Amino acid sequence: AVRLFVIAQEILVDNGSYPEQNITVNSHLFRPLGLGYANLGSFIMSQGLAYDSDQARAIAAAISAVLTGTAYVASAEIASVKSPFDEFDKNREAMLKVVGMHRQYAYEISASHCPQYMCDAARDVWDEAFDAGTKTGFRNAQVTVIAPTGTIGFLMDCDTTGIEPDIA
């Protein structure tokens, strides 16, 4: 699902309309995407976890790591066919440093608070993202965003609209 949505959003970069010329220019130079999630708070509650617990934070970290790492793997795959974003070469070192930091933090997700298979998935996908990005670059400077999703979340009939607890 992540790969499919990255591809769809990548197509929209060239076919979207933007409110101002400078936003259009930056969107084409850096190709930022906005993949995120809704209902994470509901998932945490459905697992019977206290929202502000170490276990809930570790599981949310693993989910976020898998989402973002998988999106960067897809971005690198697209870059291998279409080329990296225009400003990648100028930002290569900084971009790979950030991806490396995400990779490092994936290895720091607490296995005592998160199922091992989730920790393994987070680590594996960031290893793959770093390796792929080193070889091909990335098509997108940014792939995920955690934004206020109230209106969209309510239209999707979500119990929670993002990472926050239930508002009721």
Side-chain angles (χ1 to χ4, degrees):
V2 170
R3 184 176 177 275
L4 180 63
F5 278 102
V6 166
I7 292 168
Q9 287 186 25
E10 167 57 26
I11 291 167
L12 290 174
V13 171
D14 289 327
N15 295 302
S17 60
Y18 300 92
E20 294 185 16
Q21 183 61 27
N22 63 334
I23 295 173
T24 302
V25 169
N26 279 335
S27 292
H28 288 110
L29 290 175
F30 295 96
R31 309 188 73 76
L33 306 182
L35 186 64
Y37 45 68
N39 239 5
L40 182 59
S42 291
F43 173 73
I44 297 297
M45 290 186 292
S46 74
Q47 299 302 301
L49 302 175
Y51 186 80
D52 189 27
S53 66
D54 290 338
Q55 189 175 12
R57 281 190 293 277
I59 289 171
I63 290 169
S64 298
V66 170
L67 172 82
T68 307
T70 302
Y72 275 119
V73 169
S75 181
E77 179 185 353
I78 297 167
S80 74
V81 175
K82 301 279 291 177
S83 78
F85 64 91
D86 289 345
E87 295 290 309
F88 178 76
D89 288 338
K90 187 186 306 183
N91 293 283
R92 177 185 180 86
E93 186 177 324
M95 178 99 189
L96 290 175
K97 181 179 178 181
V98 169
V99 170
M101 288 171 31
H102 280 284
R103 177 186 187 195
Q104 174 189 337
Y105 285 115
Y107 276 87
E108 294 177 17
I109 296 170
S110 173
S112 64
H113 294 106
C114 184
Q116 189 63 49
Y117 75 92
M118 291 180 79
C119 291
D120 292 344
R123 295 167 184 161
D124 291 348
V125 77
W126 276 105
D127 286 344
E128 187 179 353
F130 186 80
D131 183 56
T134 300
K135 292 176 183 170
T136 67
F138 297 100
R139 183 69 171 162
N140 314 93
Q142 173 184 316
V143 292
T144 55
V145 64
I146 304 301
T149 57
T151 303
I152 294 170
F154 292 133
L155 289 171
M156 294 169 52
D157 198 28
C158 294
D159 293 318
T160 63
T161 58
I163 61 171
E164 71 279 356
D166 194 343
I167 62 172

